[in-house]
C-alpha cells in the first residue's frame, strides 16, 4: 500500500469514528435529559475539572482506544457544544427507540466500501475533503437569508479563532458556536471534531482552510 493510499484509508477510518461519536452524542441529547445536562456542564472545562466528572461515564466508552488527553479533550469539547444547543435542535430521528450500539460497526463498514470502488479507469479515487469546516460555517452564517451574521463580526471571529493555541481554541469556540446558532447555518460536528483532534499538530493547515473557506463563501457578501 502506498503512503497516499494509507493516508486515505486512515482518513476514512477516522471519518467513520467521528461520525459515530457525534451521532451517539446527538442521540443521547435527544433521549436522555440528564445526560444532556451532564455534557453541557463540561463546556469550557478541562478534563480534570469537577464539572466534567459526570462526563467520564458517558464518553469514555466512546473514545478511541488509548487516546491521549488532547484527543480526549477534543471529544469532550464537541460533546459539550452539541449538548449546549437549544432543546428544539434535537429533532426526533427514526429508530431512536432502538439500540444504537451498532453505530460503530456500521461506520466501520463505510470506509472499506468507499475505498474499494475505483473509477472506470481502474484508478483509485483520490482523497476528498472530509466535510465542511467551521470557517465555511461562519461564511454561511454571513450569507444566510433572514437572520444573518454581520460580515465584520464573522471576520473578527474567524481571525480570532485561527490565531488560537490548542487551549485557546477550546475556550473560544463556544462563543463562536453561539453566534452561528442565531442563523440558519449548520455545523459539521464530525469535521469540527477532526479539526480539534488535529489542531495540536496541524493548526496552521486547519486555520488556512478555515480562512480560505470563509472568504470563498463570503466573496460576494456586502461589507459592513
Amino acid at each position: 500500500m502506498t503512503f497516499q493510499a494509507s493516508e486515505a484509508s486512515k482518513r476514512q477510518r477516522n471519518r467513520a469514528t467521528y461520525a459515530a461519536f457525534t451521532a451517539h452524542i446527538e442521540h443521547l441529547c435527544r433521549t436522555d435529559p440528564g445526560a444532556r445536562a451532564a455534557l453541557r456542564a463540561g463546556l469550557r472545562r478541562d478534563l480534570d475539572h469537577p464539572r466534567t466528572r459526570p462526563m467520564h461515564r458517558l464518553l469514555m466508552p466512546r473514545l478511541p482506544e488509548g487516546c491521549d488527553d488532547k484527543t480526549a479533550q477534543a471529544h469532550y469539547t464537541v460533546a459539550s457544544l452539541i449538548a449546549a444547543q437549544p432543546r428544539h435542535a434535537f429533532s426526533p430521528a427514526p429508530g431512536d427507540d432502538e439500540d444504537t450500539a451498532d453505530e460503530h460497526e456500521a461506520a466501520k463498514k463505510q470506509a472499506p466500501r468507499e475505498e474499494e470502488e475505483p473509477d472506470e479507469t481502474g484508478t483509485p479515487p483520490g482523497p476528498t475533503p472530509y466535510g465542511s469546516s467551521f470557517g465555511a460555517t461562519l461564511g454561511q452564517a454571513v450569507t444566510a437569508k433572514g437572520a444573518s451574521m454581520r460580515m465584520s463580526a464573522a471576520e473578527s471571529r474567524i481571525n480570532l479563532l485561527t490565531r488560537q493555541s490548542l487551549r485557546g481554541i477550546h475556550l473560544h469556540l463556544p462563543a463562536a458556536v453561539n453566534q452561528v446558532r442565531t442563523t440558519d447555518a449548520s455545523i459539521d460536528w464530525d469535521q469540527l471534531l477532526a479539526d480539534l483532534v488535529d489542531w495540536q499538530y496541524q493548526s496552521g493547515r486547519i486555520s488556512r482552510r478555515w480562512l480560505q473557506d470563509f472568504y470563498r463563501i463570503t466573496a460576494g457578501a456586502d461589507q459592513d
Side-chain angles (χ1 to χ4, degrees):
M1 179 181 293
T2 65
F3 175 77
Q4 184 178 18
S6 176
E7 285 297 299
S9 177
K10 181 180 178 180
R11 274 195 301 275
Q12 292 287 1
R13 290 195 302 271
N14 288 344
R15 175 176 183 171
T17 301
Y18 298 147
F21 177 83
T22 58
H24 175 70
I25 298 304
E26 290 178 323
H27 172 78
L28 269 182
C29 292
R30 277 195 299 269
T31 60
D32 189 336
R36 177 171 170 257
L39 294 172
R40 189 172 60 243
L43 206 61
R44 296 188 181 90
R45 313 292 187 189
D46 61 38
L47 298 177
D48 297 326
H49 195 281
R51 297 290 296 274
T52 64
R53 288 174 183 169
M55 298 177 69
H56 302 322
R57 174 180 63 85
L58 299 168
L59 300 186
M60 279 307 299
R62 295 284 173 167
L63 296 184
E65 185 175 355
C67 73
D68 59 21
D69 285 352
K70 293 181 176 64
T71 299
Q73 184 69 68
H75 286 74
Y76 277 55
T77 293
V78 169
S80 294
L81 289 170
I82 292 174
Q85 295 178 101
R87 185 177 301 176
H88 62 74
F90 302 103
S91 57
D96 271 350
D97 58 341
E98 300 176 359
D99 184 8
T100 58
D102 61 347
E103 287 174 344
H104 282 289
E105 187 62 29
K108 288 177 183 177
K109 293 178 181 178
Q110 177 185 358
R113 182 170 60 253
E114 293 178 359
E115 292 171 21
E116 292 170 3
E117 293 179 354
D119 60 24
E120 293 180 357
T121 64
T123 303
T128 57
Y130 173 55
S132 180
S133 75
F134 194 72
T137 297
L138 280 170
Q140 291 159 6
V142 171
T143 59
K145 295 181 179 179
S148 60
M149 190 173 174
R150 292 174 56 194
M151 176 64 180
S152 58
E155 190 169 28
S156 294
R157 183 62 65 180
I158 190 69
N159 284 325
L160 175 65
L161 290 175
T162 53
R163 292 197 301 265
Q164 294 305 311
S165 64
L166 180 61
R167 177 61 177 157
I169 193 69
H170 286 278
L171 290 175
H172 286 280
L173 263 175
V177 169
N178 283 337
Q179 285 183 296
V180 167
R181 285 191 189 125
T182 64
T183 73
D184 291 332
S186 60
I187 299 173
D188 187 333
W189 298 114
D190 308 346
Q191 182 60 49
L192 185 57
L193 175 55
D195 287 345
L196 287 181
V197 168
D198 291 341
W199 197 272
Q200 58 181 316
Y201 309 112
Q202 302 178 19
S203 60
R205 179 187 62 79
I206 296 167
S207 294
R208 172 174 56 80
R209 183 184 173 197
W210 285 20
L211 287 164
Q212 288 176 334
D213 288 348
F214 175 78
Y215 285 113
R216 172 178 53 80
I217 291 172
T218 60
D222 293 334
Q223 303 292 318
D224 51 21

